[in-house]
Amino acid sequence: MTNRNMSALNESIKIARWILREKTLTLDTLNPQVKAVEYAVRGPIVIKAGEIERYLEEGGTKPFSEVIKANIGDAHAMGQKPITFLRQVVALCTFPELMDSPSFPEDAKRRARRILQGCGGHSLGSYSASPGVECIRKDIAAYIEQRDEGVPSDWENVYLTTGASDGIMTILRLLVSGKDSSRTGVMIPIPQYPLYSAAISEMDAVQVNYYLDEDNCWALDINELHRSYQAAKQHCQPRVICIINPGNPTGQVQSKKCIEEVLHFAYEENLFVMSDEVYQDNVYAPDCQFHSFKKVLYEMGPEYFNSVELVSFHSTSKGYTGECGFRGGYMEVINMDPEVKAQMVKLLSVRLCPPLAGQAAMDVIVNPPQPEEHTFKQFHQEKSSVLGALAEKAKLTEKILNAVPGIKCNPVQGAMYAFPRIFIPPKAVEEAKALGMQPDMLYCLRLLEETGICVVPGSGFGQKDGTYHFRMTILPSIEKLKVLLGKVRDFHIGFLKEYSGLE
Amino acid sequence: MTNRNMSALNESIKIARWILREKTLTLDTLNPQVKAVEYAVRGPIVIKAGEIERYLEEGGTKPFSEVIKANIGDAHAMGQKPITFLRQVVALCTFPELMDSPSFPEDAKRRARRILQGCGGHSLGSYSASPGVECIRKDIAAYIEQRDEGVPSDWENVYLTTGASDGIMTILRLLVSGKDSSRTGVMIPIPQYPLYSAAISEMDAVQVNYYLDEDNCWALDINELHRSYQAAKQHCQPRVICIINPGNPTGQVQSKKCIEEVLHFAYEENLFVMSDEVYQDNVYAPDCQFHSFKKVLYEMGPEYFNSVELVSFHSTSKGYTGECGFRGGYMEVINMDPEVKAQMVKLLSVRLCPPLAGQAAMDVIVNPPQPEEHTFKQFHQEKSSVLGALAEKAKLTEKILNAVPGIKCNPVQGAMYAFPRIFIPPKAVEEAKALGMQPDMLYCLRLLEETGICVVPGSGFGQKDGTYHFRMTILPSIEKLKVLLGKVRDFHIGFLKEYSGLE
């Protein structure tokens, strides 16, 4: 063979090897637990919504001019304005030269100075201790004590987190053992916020469903807890119960009696309690009130308060601030074994610390302007305006949806979502099954394609077999919400007609 | 029994149950993979340092007046000032009312406006898409193209992360299969940054060590890679190789030839490549230069550039900005299977998005003031001042340490750490063993207790058997660093004397 031929041959071999070379990481070799994860809030329907948005931007035409994203509790994206005071404090922390600016109020400067005093080198750019900035932990403990009318809170039990999701994942990681993980049962409400099911899939734990009672405003029924627990005991060891109060996606606010029952049940069955209370400031129904799991536990007496292991989660993303992008949050951990706590701190330290701007934002939420401060009036106005509008939108949504034949919506007592039950005609159910999709996914896809409204199918949250729902946020402005609800109504009526052959 | 006795008995039973009640989550029932995690950078020595700090604050006395934390690359905590321009942009994004302030430069306002345009509702308080804000991803891709002198970068391959650690954990999560995880081998350098070993423990993968060559300035030796790989093949499937360049804790800067060899090896053995390049701006030795793995891969020709799966990580925490608290970072993913990419985005979406302020900070780093902009001069001065001081401190550290008998320190070519080898007399080794601790842990504890200097034992990073090291940052100010190094010298000499019986 000539040199030239030889060289050509070598080249061909190289190209052949390259073409035949398999990837190291493929769908076949991917961690199967990742494959099992589902997260509907940003799932296929939202990807589709993004595609339609781009199509419209590029001049494409649809029967609507914009996509309305009612799929995720993202208040600012829906036009809610930030709370001025919170942003002032964070801006001061970010750029301390502003301390000299007369246009920033002294109240905000005082808080920013205090936060910076707690930061290494007085800079938001330093790592904090892994559990968070000490003075912020102390402010949070003081807030909890005040909220719970004197129930003691120890700041060393408070851990800042990167949004509440991060805290929830951390606690589950402690509870779910790797090797025999398939034996650890995690009790979650159905419907649930799909972070829970996603985490359970990722960690290969067993999802233990307890069903909320739709006929009773999504209340938690203690008999259902017992049923669920006993059934699960047959195939796994339930070790933890998760509660979301106020509910996501279901919007119910739990009664004190119901919380007592849950805590008593957890005490009896030795369950670790995870209480997702990120919507604690979002209660709209006049006959409802937020009761923290911790306060109820306290009132049940020392044998409960000194023994039930309880973690409560909070966040900057919800409430009246809606600061999702800051990724701020905290958890308060009660009765955790001190050795386990040390292990948790070790685990947190691997990721170094939660973002400092998020920690600062959390500090403002737990330490807002007081009546005697200059900034109080504006702060209070802004807060009331957000919460007032949400209460109005909660009522409006319930009212309009319930006027549509084939839609039934429980009162939105709290949180930020309506989770109406929708009647889907058998023909549509059949069509969906033929397409290999859930009937409410078909419904939501059609809704998106025909109206531009993006909501999440109930199947993404879990629901009783044979029932169908969707979750929509109540975050759009009142004007937009009315338009949205009107479109949902028209769409639903058309959908019923089409599939019931009533045209 | 009387009612009263009955009631007393019931009370006693209640108390007995409460006392006997076991916790749900104990060290015995904790996820054993969490127990296995070690993270020396914030490990026992740092906890001890915190205790001493509190003791001093409360008026206690020690042979020193302050603890100097040289354990962690936390520049601002060590007094480094933030880059003004970066903070201006983030403050403008946080509090857009500042757009009207004449004291903020137009260059900063332009960037802030652009970032906010990319945010939902033009607010830093909205969630971004899970891979990050689109315009920031585009800026990053443009930066990479420029850095790599025209090697193409697709913005859709760029993913914002919560610090680099978050990205590294995400990629490992994809690669390490849950069920048969103990069969997935992850090749890491020794010494290494202990995030890697911690992640491997948490995910129950197999840590496959390849040793860097201390006698050759911690260079990576290709023969050692082959040895390590072949040995690992006996008991696991090595699927990924991690490289840290410039090195942490070892401070070496890899040559182009060495990178080529690694990439060739990865190509041949079908390994996924994770390239931790967070110190890419921290190169001090005049004869060294940062070569990105991606550029070297490109120059190796299309059969490599179109096939080797490579992820590169970057961060706001290091470089000349040192913005650790913002938790900003990104990864660029090359040749990842599109289906795997979709799975990764799904996984990222469960945690919603990286903090927006960190994303904005990352944007400034990749899109800094240009020579024609007004802010360029100040920016350039600040940047040069930080990098110049680091270069000086790198040299100073090496020089002073090498003058101490029994200490040998390789040149600090890059990154932010010295990792000197220390001679520990056999008697001290014996004493440590009797105490059940690593000899360099004994050494570092003694150093801390006698001088207040907090460094991390080499055993926390891994080292050849029978060799001992510690990692210290070069971040303190020059004055403080001189004091620190003087104290280390005196301590070391005293330690040698004490344990060699030479007093």
Side-chain angles (χ1 to χ4, degrees):
Chain A
M1 206 161 5
T2 64
N3 273 353
R4 205 170 137 196
N5 281 351
M6 189 72 143
S7 147
L9 180 64
N10 276 337
E11 200 53 37
S12 306
I13 291 173
K14 243 161 91 177
I15 291 170
R17 275 191 61 191
W18 163 33
I19 290 167
L20 292 173
R21 190 173 182 275
E22 274 183 29
K23 286 203 188 286
T24 302
L25 185 56
T26 64
L27 216 47
D28 285 338
T29 60
L30 179 73
N31 177 356
Q33 290 164 223
V34 170
K35 235 179 291 182
V37 165
E38 288 183 25
Y39 186 68
V41 173
R42 288 198 156 174
I45 201 123
V46 186
I47 293 168
K48 184 83 196 161
E51 286 168 14
I52 294 177
E53 265 185 331
R54 267 191 299 281
Y55 173 77
L56 288 175
E57 272 165 24
E58 287 159 5
T61 53
K62 286 273 173 189
F64 47 87
S65 60
E66 64 163 340
V67 171
I68 304 179
K69 287 194 177 160
N71 60 296
I72 187 166
D74 191 358
H76 292 202
M78 287 289 104
Q80 184 181 310
K81 292 282 157 271
I83 299 290
T84 305
F85 185 74
L86 185 150
R87 292 299 187 92
Q88 284 171 330
V89 173
V90 179
L92 284 159
C93 289
T94 304
F95 197 61
E97 283 84 339
L98 291 170
M99 296 285 181
D100 299 329
S101 162
S103 56
F104 279 74
E106 201 42 54
D107 305 340
K109 290 180 186 172
R110 206 164 43 243
R111 278 171 181 74
R113 264 193 293 268
R114 190 156 163 283
I115 293 168
L116 291 178
Q117 282 292 337
C119 296
H122 302 170
S123 169
L124 225 49
S126 58
Y127 293 119
S128 72
S130 302
V133 175
E134 190 171 309
C135 69
I136 299 177
R137 296 170 77 192
K138 287 178 175 162
D139 286 348
I140 293 170
Y143 157 81
I144 295 171
E145 276 198 19
Q146 196 192 17
R147 180 198 69 190
D148 290 343
E149 295 167 344
V151 179
S153 172
D154 180 347
W155 69 269
E156 297 200 73
N157 285 337
V158 172
Y159 298 83
L160 276 295
T161 57
T162 307
S165 310
D166 170 50
I168 292 166
M169 297 285 265
T170 298
I171 297 295
L172 284 175
R173 187 78 67 196
L174 302 178
L175 283 155
V176 176
S177 296
K179 287 289 170 63
D180 56 359
S181 61
S182 55
R183 308 294 310 143
T184 303
V186 179
M187 299 185 72
I188 62 171
I190 295 293
Q192 51 111 23
Y193 174 56
L195 164 68
Y196 292 94
S197 50
I200 289 168
S201 295
E202 192 188 318
M203 300 181 197
D204 206 20
V206 179
Q207 177 174 325
V208 177
N209 296 336
Y210 65 87
Y211 289 83
L212 301 174
D213 184 359
E214 183 164 16
D215 295 333
N216 190 16
C217 279
W218 297 113
L220 196 165
D221 174 12
I222 186 70
N223 296 317
E224 167 61 11
L225 276 193
H226 286 292
R227 180 209 62 75
S228 159
Y229 178 82
Q230 292 305 334
K233 279 282 263 185
Q234 306 303 315
H235 60 101
C236 71
Q237 180 56 46
R239 294 184 68 203
V240 50
I241 178 166
C242 304
I243 300 105
I244 313 172
N245 178 46
N248 176 5
T250 39
Q252 84 286 14
V253 177
Q254 286 183 340
S255 70
K256 194 175 160 192
K257 180 170 163 289
C258 166
I259 295 172
E260 272 170 10
E261 287 172 347
V262 172
L263 287 167
H264 182 77
F265 168 75
Y267 178 89
E268 291 293 325
E269 306 295 3
N270 250 38
L271 294 172
F272 193 103
V273 181
M274 291 172 64
S275 178
D276 180 339
E277 303 181 325
V278 300
Y279 297 100
Q280 58 188 268
D281 287 325
N282 298 97
V283 175
Y284 315 119
D287 54 338
C288 289
Q289 195 192 332
F290 171 73
H291 301 278
S292 80
F293 267 64
K294 186 182 172 202
K295 179 159 184 256
V296 175
L297 188 67
Y298 181 80
E299 289 167 353
M300 287 167 78
E303 71 270 32
Y304 291 90
F305 189 63
N306 294 321
S307 72
V308 174
E309 293 149 87
L310 168 67
V311 185
S312 162
F313 304 93
H314 199 8
S315 163
T316 61
S317 305
K318 311 300 168 188
Y320 54 91
T321 53
E323 294 284 10
C324 310
F326 281 84
R327 312 307 299 120
Y330 76 76
M331 55 185 177
E332 187 190 21
V333 171
I334 315 285
N335 291 319
M336 185 181 267
D337 182 313
E339 288 184 310
V340 172
K341 232 191 262 185
Q343 294 283 324
M344 181 174 78
V345 171
K346 181 187 70 177
L347 192 65
L348 293 175
S349 74
V350 178
R351 284 187 179 244
L352 298 164
C353 69
L356 273 281
Q359 295 193 44
M362 196 74 239
D363 192 57
V364 177
I365 292 174
V366 297
N367 186 16
Q370 297 303 305
E372 67 278 11
E373 291 184 298
H374 278 97
T375 46
F376 180 76
K377 201 176 147 196
Q378 187 189 357
F379 170 81
H380 191 72
Q381 266 171 2
E382 290 176 359
K383 174 177 171 177
S384 308
S385 154
V386 171
L387 290 176
L390 282 171
E392 193 181 338
K393 291 187 278 190
K395 263 203 110 59
L396 183 79
T397 304
E398 178 199 344
K399 197 178 130 203
I400 297 183
L401 287 176
N402 276 326
V404 183
I407 295 188
K408 198 184 159 328
C409 184
N410 269 323
V412 182
Q413 297 171 336
M416 299 180 164
Y417 316 97
F419 195 68
R421 180 159 170 185
I422 46 178
F423 173 69
I424 297 189
K427 268 196 186 166
V429 172
E430 272 166 43
E431 183 177 316
K433 281 186 182 154
L435 291 166
M437 62 170 75
Q438 294 289 336
D440 47 14
M441 175 64 90
L442 173 77
Y443 181 95
C444 292
L445 274 175
R446 291 274 311 260
L447 177 68
L448 173 65
E449 275 163 7
E450 292 171 30
T451 68
I453 296 168
C454 178
V455 299
V456 187
S459 46
F461 304 88
Q463 53 199 355
K464 272 209 167 134
D465 279 350
T467 71
Y468 305 108
H469 302 79
F470 62 79
R471 186 188 85 162
M472 60 169 278
T473 71
I474 56 167
L475 292 172
S477 66
I478 292 192
E479 298 66 45
K480 211 172 226 180
L481 188 62
K482 281 183 184 163
V483 173
L484 186 157
L485 291 164
K487 285 185 174 185
V488 168
R489 182 190 54 220
D490 296 347
F491 167 80
H492 188 81
I493 292 169
F495 188 87
L496 287 194
K497 270 194 190 148
E498 180 183 338
Y499 286 100
S500 311
L502 296 175
E503 254 176 316
Chain B
M1 202 159 11
T2 64
N3 272 353
R4 208 171 135 195
N5 282 351
M6 189 71 147
S7 146
L9 180 66
N10 276 338
E11 199 54 35
S12 307
I13 291 173
K14 241 163 93 177
I15 291 170
R17 275 192 61 192
W18 163 32
I19 290 168
L20 292 173
R21 190 173 182 274
E22 275 182 31
K23 288 205 186 286
T24 302
L25 184 57
T26 65
L27 216 47
D28 285 339
T29 60
L30 179 74
N31 177 357
Q33 290 163 224
V34 170
K35 238 180 291 183
V37 165
E38 287 183 27
Y39 185 67
V41 174
R42 288 198 155 173
I45 200 119
V46 186
I47 293 169
K48 183 82 194 164
E51 286 167 16
I52 295 177
E53 265 185 331
R54 266 192 298 281
Y55 174 77
L56 289 174
E57 273 166 25
E58 287 159 5
T61 54
K62 285 274 174 190
F64 47 87
S65 59
E66 65 162 339
V67 171
I68 304 178
K69 287 193 175 159
N71 59 294
I72 187 167
D74 190 358
H76 291 203
M78 288 288 103
Q80 184 181 310
K81 293 282 157 272
I83 299 290
T84 305
F85 185 74
L86 185 150
R87 292 299 188 92
Q88 284 172 330
V89 173
V90 179
L92 284 160
C93 289
T94 304
F95 196 61
E97 283 84 338
L98 291 170
M99 295 284 183
D100 299 330
S101 162
S103 55
F104 280 74
E106 201 43 52
D107 304 341
K109 289 180 186 171
R110 204 164 45 243
R111 278 171 181 74
R113 263 193 294 269
R114 187 156 165 281
I115 294 169
L116 290 178
Q117 283 291 337
C119 297
H122 302 172
S123 169
L124 224 49
S126 57
Y127 293 119
S128 72
S130 302
V133 175
E134 191 171 309
C135 69
I136 298 178
R137 297 170 77 191
K138 287 177 176 163
D139 285 348
I140 293 170
Y143 157 80
I144 295 171
E145 276 199 15
Q146 197 192 15
R147 181 198 68 190
D148 291 342
E149 294 166 345
V151 179
S153 172
D154 181 346
W155 69 270
E156 297 201 73
N157 286 337
V158 172
Y159 298 83
L160 275 296
T161 57
T162 307
S165 309
D166 170 50
I168 293 167
M169 296 286 266
T170 299
I171 297 294
L172 284 175
R173 188 78 67 199
L174 301 179
L175 283 154
V176 176
S177 295
K179 286 290 170 63
D180 56 358
S181 60
S182 55
R183 308 293 311 141
T184 303
V186 180
M187 299 185 72
I188 61 170
I190 295 294
Q192 51 112 21
Y193 174 56
L195 164 68
Y196 291 94
S197 49
I200 289 168
S201 294
E202 192 187 319
M203 297 179 198
D204 206 20
V206 179
Q207 177 174 323
V208 177
N209 296 337
Y210 65 87
Y211 288 83
L212 301 175
D213 185 359
E214 184 164 16
D215 295 332
N216 191 15
C217 280
W218 297 113
L220 198 164
D221 174 12
I222 186 69
N223 295 318
E224 167 61 11
L225 277 192
H226 285 292
R227 181 208 62 77
S228 159
Y229 179 82
Q230 292 305 335
K233 279 283 264 186
Q234 307 302 316
H235 60 101
C236 71
Q237 179 57 44
R239 294 184 67 204
V240 50
I241 178 166
C242 305
I243 300 104
I244 313 173
N245 178 46
N248 176 4
T250 39
Q252 84 285 16
V253 177
Q254 287 183 340
S255 69
K256 194 175 162 192
K257 179 171 164 287
C258 166
I259 296 172
E260 272 171 12
E261 287 172 347
V262 173
L263 287 167
H264 183 76
F265 169 75
Y267 178 89
E268 290 293 324
E269 304 295 2
N270 249 39
L271 293 172
F272 194 102
V273 181
M274 290 172 64
S275 178
D276 180 339
E277 303 182 324
V278 300
Y279 297 101
Q280 58 189 267
D281 287 325
N282 298 98
V283 176
Y284 315 119
D287 53 338
C288 290
Q289 198 191 329
F290 170 73
H291 301 277
S292 80
F293 267 64
K294 186 182 172 201
K295 180 160 183 254
V296 175
L297 188 68
Y298 182 80
E299 288 167 353
M300 288 168 74
E303 72 270 32
Y304 291 91
F305 190 63
N306 293 323
S307 72
V308 174
E309 292 150 270
L310 168 67
V311 184
S312 162
F313 303 93
H314 199 8
S315 164
T316 61
S317 306
K318 311 300 169 188
Y320 54 92
T321 53
E323 295 284 11
C324 310
F326 281 84
R327 314 306 299 119
Y330 75 77
M331 54 186 180
E332 188 191 20
V333 172
I334 315 284
N335 290 321
M336 186 181 264
D337 181 313
E339 287 183 312
V340 171
K341 231 190 264 185
Q343 293 284 325
M344 182 173 76
V345 171
K346 180 188 71 178
L347 192 64
L348 292 175
S349 75
V350 178
R351 286 188 178 242
L352 299 163
C353 69
L356 273 282
Q359 296 192 43
M362 196 74 240
D363 192 57
V364 178
I365 292 173
V366 298
N367 185 16
Q370 297 303 306
E372 67 278 11
E373 290 184 300
H374 277 97
T375 47
F376 180 75
K377 202 177 145 197
Q378 187 188 357
F379 170 81
H380 192 70
Q381 266 171 0
E382 291 177 356
K383 175 178 170 178
S384 309
S385 155
V386 171
L387 291 176
L390 282 171
E392 193 180 339
K393 292 188 274 189
K395 262 202 110 58
L396 183 78
T397 304
E398 178 199 345
K399 197 178 129 202
I400 298 185
L401 287 177
N402 278 326
V404 183
I407 295 188
K408 199 184 160 329
C409 184
N410 270 322
V412 182
Q413 298 171 335
M416 299 181 165
Y417 315 98
F419 195 67
R421 180 160 169 188
I422 46 178
F423 173 69
I424 297 188
K427 267 197 186 165
V429 173
E430 273 166 42
E431 184 177 316
K433 281 186 183 155
L435 291 165
M437 62 170 75
Q438 294 290 335
D440 48 12
M441 174 64 89
L442 173 77
Y443 181 96
C444 292
L445 274 174
R446 290 274 312 261
L447 177 68
L448 173 64
E449 275 164 8
E450 293 172 27
T451 68
I453 295 168
C454 179
V455 299
V456 187
S459 46
F461 304 89
Q463 54 200 355
K464 271 211 168 133
D465 279 350
T467 70
Y468 305 108
H469 302 78
F470 64 79
R471 187 189 82 164
M472 59 169 279
T473 70
I474 56 166
L475 292 171
S477 67
I478 292 193
E479 297 67 43
K480 212 172 227 179
L481 189 62
K482 281 183 184 164
V483 173
L484 186 157
L485 291 165
K487 285 185 175 187
V488 168
R489 182 190 54 218
D490 297 345
F491 166 81
H492 188 79
I493 292 170
F495 188 86
L496 286 194
K497 270 194 189 151
E498 181 183 337
Y499 285 100
S500 310
L502 297 176
E503 253 176 316

